[in-house]
Amino acid sequence: MSELPLLLLSILVLVSLPFKVISQDVNAEKTILLNLIQQLGNPSSIQSWNSSSSPCEWPDVYCVEGAVTGLDLGNKNITQIIPASVCDLKNLTYLNLNWNYIPGGFPKLLYNCKKLEELDLSQNYFVGPIPDDIDRLSSLRYLYLQGNNFTGNIPPQIGNLTELRTLFLHQNQFNGTFPKEIGKLSNLEEMALAYINFVPSSIPVEFGQLKKLRFLWMKLANLIGEIPESLSNLTSLVHLDLAGNDLEGKIPGGLFLLKNLTKLYLFKNKLSGEIPQIVETLNLAEIDLAMNHLNGSITEDFGKLKKLQLLSLFENHLSGEVPASIGLLPELRAFKVFTNNLSGVLPPKMGLYSTLEEFDVSTNQFSGRLPENLCAGGVLQGAVASENNLSGQVPQSLGNCNSLRTVQLYSNNFSGEIPADLSQNHFSGEIPPEFGQLKLVVLNLSSNNLSGKIPDQFDNLAYDNSFLENYKLCAVNPILNLPDCHTKLRDSEKFSSKILSLILFLTVTIFLVTIIVTLFMVRDCPRGKQKRDLASWKLTSFQRLDFTEANILASLTENNLIGSGGSGKVYRIAINRADDFVAVKRIWSNEEMDQKLEKEFLAEVQILGTIRHANIVKLMCCISSEKSKLLVYEYMENHSLDRWLHGKKRSSSMGASSFGYIAPGKSIRQPHSALSKYAYTTKVNEKIDVYSFGVVLLELATGREPNSGDDEDTSLAEWAWRQFGQGKPVSNCLDQEIKEPCFLQEMTAVFNLGLVCTHSLPSNRPSMKDVLEILRRCSPDNNAEKRTVSEFDIVPLLGSVTCLSSNRRSNRLSDDDDDLVYSV
């Protein structure tokens, strides 16, 4: 739901609230408000308030029966303390000051706002404890204090605010505990106490008295002990999140009897015992019990949950078979049960009736066949079934699944033939001879740029339509619809004979000429060599060029060298007299290319040569020979992004996977290394920008390079997610060279934001607008004071931060706030 309709809805609710308007002169209210903005430092965003009109006509001012009842001053760059004069507005029921830079302790002066029902002070610089006499705000219904630096205990007097509907205190610096008196808030509907380092505390039994509670969020709150059975009494509960704590014992069976429950997150605790076998929560859409110590079997009743979209049970000790009925669920999009002791046959119809996106059953003891219809919905991104006892043929449908990003089937007993449809791509070069050893039931390499001889095993009529529209391929057997390789060879030999005759003629001529002609030849020898060398180079252009390969080759000198690395060198070369330059990346100089480096080079050319994107440096052309490859890019004066990120940690300003630049006065142009994850598709959108930017953030926070994971096959993003999934402290992942106590929170914020931006599902990544807003909030700009430690705790919730600013009018809690943990 958009922000505006929510705002209008809240205004209607505000108008409908029953209260008696105290008579107050309009001019008096006008004077109060004009003095108020002056005391707040005259924020530029409130300049439209003036004495020539009624306050009820001003933006961000709400009125009932001509009296001012609400002020919406959120996100106005306010840096001053709250003036006491705000409570001179005798009818004020709503005050929103979120997303500002207001310092100081809790503003007790607001106790004078006798009618205040909704108070939003979230995302500011407030410090110190919440006062013990906060219950003097006796009319309060909605209290939003998250994203500040409040410390100490949450006072038990908060339980006296019996009119309270919403209590959001998450992401603060409370270092005490929370009171059992919260259980007295009989009207409470939403409570968030997440991302707080409380002293180790148990969930009070009294919380089970909150019969109207719909939303309970206590993720990463240092909870210990067992989940009280009394939570089974929360009959209105829709969303329960107790993830990332040290809870132990069994899962209360009553939780799976709550009729309204739609999302249950208990992952990353120490819960044990069996999953409750009786499930009547038929509205459940997401269940995440991963990373616990659960044993026993997966209940058959999960097959009754027709609205279930996510079932995440990985990294437990579950055994037995997966109920076949789970494969029939119509809404299931993610099924993750890896690293358990599950066995038996996988549900044979898994994916047939739903749009399955994630399927990971690796590291179990499954046998039988892999389900045939995993990609029936056409959106499957990962099929991971490694380290099992699966057998039979790999489903042919996987070979035709264009949405797949990863298929991992190693350490199984698969046999038979493999389907392969790689048509309509940009593959080039020869078909590897090893392809002929595969038992392929289908092979389609049509509409590519392949060349050379096809493997002998494919040189028969069974593959007559497998190589269409590859005009440089040939076959030994002319039966196939391809040119005869022998004919090509004979033509080549004839051509070579002509050249040989010409060389012989020239040689004889040289011996017959006079000494003057000999001297002439000696003088022209270097020029002739240059021409012959030039003829051995091939230029492939991707942009309109105003230079030739000769301009480039002649300037590959040490004087133009600007960087070097393990795989080559980078030169800065002038291409005309106007001092226009290009950057030339030379790879594999003076050595034969191996197969791996050749693939890397072809991938880089393929990706950058076809992508047109404002944030990716242009690949102008490729110049290649047998022993050396040149990539010619547009030159950026501010050097490579890799150099800005890693400085002298590298021996060069270029890397095989970080040839990006910073453009003057513009945003960072992203390194193209992340683009290899998208090379299979032609769609390059904002979500790819967000992913690439997330990689940059992870580089900044960790000091690592984009391809530096645990091994050569693991990227930085994968490494970072693995560290998070294993529960390792973020501080262990940060760059040790710049990790200072005063920077720890900022670095943690950047690291967590990088995680969110590199989420495996593009739909779960934030927009660049949201990313920029969070980074802006974490910087001391707009003449604000430098932030203290805690406000950077907001960053791990970027997936839901726009709905955690606590304004009931525009920012409900998101259903996706746990996406950060799903992709481990």
Side-chain angles (χ1 to χ4, degrees):
M1 184 179 292
S2 65
E3 181 173 342
L4 184 58
L6 278 173
L7 181 60
L8 294 176
L9 176 61
S10 298
I11 294 172
L12 292 175
V13 172
L14 181 64
V15 172
S16 65
L17 293 177
F19 72 97
K20 184 177 180 180
V21 175
I22 298 176
S23 177
Q24 189 168 20
D25 183 67
V26 174
N27 291 326
E29 290 184 332
K30 182 186 302 183
T31 301
I32 293 170
L33 290 172
L34 292 176
N35 288 336
L36 177 65
I37 63 169
Q38 184 176 5
Q39 292 170 317
L40 291 175
N42 290 310
S44 58
S45 53
I46 320 179
Q47 294 302 313
S48 56
W49 292 11
N50 57 74
S51 59
S52 62
S53 58
S54 168
C56 294
E57 298 176 2
W58 297 348
D60 305 317
V61 177
Y62 307 126
C63 296
V64 174
E65 297 181 6
V68 174
T69 58
L71 294 178
D72 190 350
L73 301 179
N75 201 14
K76 302 295 185 184
N77 293 321
I78 297 173
T79 60
Q80 307 298 317
I81 62 173
I82 302 173
S85 61
V86 69
C87 289
D88 291 340
L89 299 168
K90 300 303 181 183
N91 295 296
L92 191 67
T93 62
Y94 167 65
L95 179 61
N96 176 23
L97 291 164
N98 65 11
W99 287 99
N100 283 296
Y101 305 91
I102 304 173
F106 184 90
K108 299 178 71 171
L109 59 91
L110 295 177
Y111 292 167
N112 295 320
C113 297
K114 300 299 183 180
K115 290 193 172 185
L116 196 60
E117 296 182 352
E118 181 164 350
L119 176 61
D120 190 342
L121 302 178
S122 64
Q123 310 296 349
N124 276 287
Y125 284 176
F126 292 110
V127 296
I130 295 178
D132 292 339
D133 58 350
I134 191 173
D135 54 349
R136 290 179 60 184
L137 292 167
S138 57
S139 298
L140 214 55
R141 293 188 173 197
Y142 306 95
L143 179 60
Y144 305 97
L145 300 179
Q146 74 269 22
N148 281 289
N149 299 312
F150 290 116
T151 55
N153 294 306
I154 298 175
Q157 289 80 3
I158 207 165
N160 296 331
L161 298 174
T162 55
E163 295 298 320
L164 213 56
R165 269 69 169 169
T166 297
L167 178 62
F168 284 176
L169 302 177
H170 53 281
Q171 294 173 293
N172 272 287
Q173 296 295 303
F174 297 117
N175 48 9
T177 187
F178 47 88
K180 64 180 181 180
E181 285 77 7
I182 290 177
K184 294 163 54 179
L185 301 175
S186 58
N187 290 307
L188 195 65
E189 298 176 359
E190 297 176 309
M191 181 167 66
L193 300 176
Y195 291 94
I196 300 175
N197 191 26
F198 292 117
V199 297
S201 306
S202 299
I203 302 174
V205 175
E206 289 78 3
F207 279 14
Q209 300 171 10
L210 303 173
K211 296 298 181 63
K212 294 183 179 180
L213 194 66
R214 297 184 294 105
F215 185 96
L216 177 57
W217 186 33
M218 299 185 71
K219 179 181 178 182
L220 289 172
N222 209 7
L223 300 177
I224 59 172
E226 297 188 359
I227 301 175
E229 289 283 350
S230 62
L231 294 191
S232 301
N233 298 327
L234 304 180
T235 54
S236 300
L237 199 62
V238 174
H239 185 121
L240 176 61
D241 188 347
L242 304 176
N245 289 292
D246 289 317
L247 295 169
E248 55 189 13
K250 295 184 177 181
I251 299 174
L255 294 182
F256 285 94
L257 303 178
L258 298 174
K259 304 294 185 181
N260 296 306
L261 193 64
T262 62
K263 295 191 176 180
L264 176 62
Y265 304 123
L266 302 178
F267 58 87
K268 206 174 184 183
N269 278 288
K270 297 178 181 178
L271 299 171
S272 57
E274 295 188 355
I275 298 173
Q277 297 298 299
I278 300 176
V279 179
E280 296 180 4
T281 49
L282 301 183
N283 287 313
L284 269 173
E286 297 188 2
I287 301 175
D288 197 333
L289 310 179
M291 293 180 282
N292 280 289
H293 305 305
L294 301 172
N295 54 34
S297 61
I298 300 175
T299 173
E300 290 276 354
D301 276 9
F302 278 172
K304 301 189 302 184
L305 304 178
K306 302 302 182 182
K307 298 180 181 180
L308 192 64
Q309 299 176 16
L310 166 70
L311 182 57
S312 180
L313 306 174
F314 62 86
E315 292 186 21
N316 279 290
H317 307 296
L318 300 173
S319 58
E321 297 189 5
V322 176
S325 57
I326 291 179
L328 306 178
L329 295 176
E331 300 294 331
L332 192 64
R333 60 178 177 84
F335 180 71
K336 298 185 287 188
V337 296
F338 58 89
T339 315
N340 277 288
N341 298 314
L342 297 167
S343 59
V345 178
L346 288 165
K349 296 186 179 181
M350 178 71 73
L352 181 61
Y353 301 106
S354 66
T355 53
L356 196 64
E357 297 178 21
E358 295 181 72
F359 179 80
D360 193 336
V361 298
S362 59
T363 318
N364 279 288
Q365 301 173 26
F366 289 116
S367 58
R369 294 176 175 268
L370 195 65
E372 178 67 34
N373 301 291
L374 292 178
C375 194
V379 295
L380 185 68
Q381 298 187 29
V384 183
S386 54
E387 296 182 304
N388 279 289
N389 298 314
L390 298 170
S391 59
Q393 293 188 357
V394 176
Q396 182 176 348
S397 58
L398 290 183
N400 302 321
C401 187
N402 296 326
S403 60
L404 269 178
R405 294 187 178 187
T406 180
V407 177
Q408 299 179 33
L409 304 178
Y410 59 87
S411 298
N412 277 288
N413 299 312
F414 289 114
S415 61
E417 299 175 322
I418 304 171
D421 189 341
L422 304 175
S423 61
Q424 297 182 355
N425 281 288
H426 302 283
F427 295 115
S428 58
E430 296 187 0
I431 301 173
E434 292 80 4
F435 261 43
Q437 306 301 320
L438 300 175
K439 297 180 178 180
L440 297 174
V441 63
V442 175
L443 176 63
N444 190 358
L445 296 173
S446 299
S447 301
N448 281 287
N449 299 315
L450 300 169
S451 60
K453 173 182 170 294
I454 65 172
D456 292 339
Q457 292 85 347
F458 301 141
D459 196 3
N460 61 70
L461 286 176
Y463 299 97
D464 190 27
N465 295 317
S466 298
F467 309 103
L468 303 176
E469 298 183 20
N470 287 277
Y471 302 107
K472 297 180 181 179
L473 284 176
C474 63
V476 173
N477 190 338
I479 295 176
L480 284 178
N481 190 24
L482 292 171
D484 191 332
C485 290
H486 291 309
T487 302
K488 282 194 169 186
L489 181 60
R490 286 194 295 269
D491 291 342
S492 176
E493 290 174 351
K494 291 179 181 179
F495 181 72
S496 299
S497 299
K498 293 179 180 179
I499 295 177
L500 183 61
S501 301
L502 179 60
I503 294 174
L504 181 61
F505 173 77
L506 292 175
T507 303
V508 173
T509 303
I510 290 173
F511 281 104
L512 294 177
V513 296
T514 62
I515 189 62
I516 298 175
V517 175
T518 303
L519 292 175
F520 223 68
M521 295 298 298
V522 170
R523 185 190 69 180
D524 287 346
C525 183
R527 185 182 303 172
K529 183 178 184 300
Q530 180 181 4
K531 290 182 177 179
R532 289 193 300 274
D533 288 344
L534 187 62
S536 67
W537 292 86
K538 175 184 177 182
L539 184 146
T540 304
S541 63
F542 306 103
Q543 313 284 339
R544 180 173 295 179
L545 306 178
D546 56 357
F547 58 88
T548 66
E549 58 266 51
N551 299 129
I552 302 299
L553 296 172
S555 301
L556 295 176
T557 64
E558 293 297 314
N559 292 335
N560 293 327
L561 183 66
I562 60 174
S564 62
S567 60
K569 298 179 178 181
V570 176
Y571 300 84
R572 176 177 177 265
I573 294 177
I575 56 176
N576 54 39
R577 295 182 180 179
D579 285 335
D580 292 331
F581 295 89
V582 293
V584 180
K585 179 178 178 181
R586 184 171 189 172
I587 307 175
W588 317 312
S589 180
N590 299 322
E591 66 182 54
E592 295 290 335
M593 295 176 298
D594 60 33
Q595 187 175 5
K596 180 179 180 181
L597 290 177
E598 174 70 4
K599 289 181 179 179
E600 293 177 357
F601 173 80
L602 293 174
E604 186 163 353
V605 171
Q606 176 187 345
I607 297 169
L608 290 182
T610 56
I611 287 179
R612 299 292 184 267
H613 196 281
N615 293 334
I616 302 175
V617 66
K618 291 181 181 177
L619 176 61
M620 304 182 73
C621 68
C622 162
I623 305 173
S624 59
S625 68
E626 290 185 1
K627 296 184 178 181
S628 188
K629 304 286 186 181
L630 306 178
L631 296 175
V632 183
Y633 296 88
E634 63 178 339
Y635 182 77
M636 295 296 185
E637 289 292 338
N638 285 334
H639 306 292
S640 72
L641 177 58
D642 184 70
R643 178 171 175 179
W644 285 90
L645 289 176
H646 303 291
K648 294 184 179 180
K649 291 182 182 178
R650 295 272 187 98
S651 59
S652 70
S653 60
M654 72 90 185
S657 63
S658 56
F659 213 93
Y661 297 89
I662 297 177
K666 295 187 177 180
S667 302
I668 294 177
R669 289 199 174 188
Q670 308 299 337
H672 68 257
S673 60
L675 292 176
S676 61
K677 299 175 180 302
Y678 316 101
Y680 70 95
T681 180
T682 58
K683 183 177 182 181
V684 180
N685 56 25
E686 184 200 25
K687 293 301 183 180
I688 293 179
D689 284 344
V690 172
Y691 186 99
S692 299
F693 192 71
V695 175
V696 173
L697 294 178
L698 292 176
E699 290 185 70
L700 285 168
T702 65
R704 289 171 170 259
E705 300 173 29
N707 56 353
S708 59
D710 293 326
D711 50 59
E712 63 179 5
D713 296 321
T714 304
S715 68
L716 173 58
E718 292 168 335
W719 173 84
W721 274 100
R722 186 173 297 169
Q723 304 307 302
F724 181 85
Q726 294 173 354
K728 295 184 179 178
V730 173
S731 59
N732 291 355
C733 304
L734 303 180
D735 189 350
Q736 301 300 316
E737 293 187 11
I738 62 174
K739 188 174 74 174
E740 298 291 342
C742 58
F743 300 136
L744 185 59
Q745 292 295 334
E746 290 92 331
M747 294 176 69
T748 300
V750 172
F751 179 88
N752 287 331
L753 183 53
L755 283 179
V756 180
C757 291
T758 56
H759 196 283
S760 62
L761 292 180
S763 60
N764 286 338
R765 298 173 197 155
S767 68
M768 280 305 297
K769 179 181 179 181
D770 289 336
V771 174
L772 183 61
E773 178 67 13
I774 294 304
L775 291 177
R776 186 176 73 83
R777 292 293 173 195
C778 294
S779 66
D781 55 358
N782 299 318
N783 298 318
E785 298 176 9
K786 179 173 177 60
R787 289 195 172 220
T788 51
V789 176
S790 71
E791 72 269 11
F792 298 108
D793 291 342
I794 64 175
V795 176
L797 293 179
L798 182 59
S800 61
V801 74
T802 56
C803 55
L804 295 176
S805 61
S806 77
N807 186 344
R808 185 171 59 92
R809 288 160 171 75
S810 59
N811 293 305
R812 285 296 181 194
L813 284 168
S814 168
D815 290 338
D816 298 324
D817 49 69
D818 291 283
D819 285 341
L820 185 61
V821 182
Y822 292 155
S823 299
V824 179

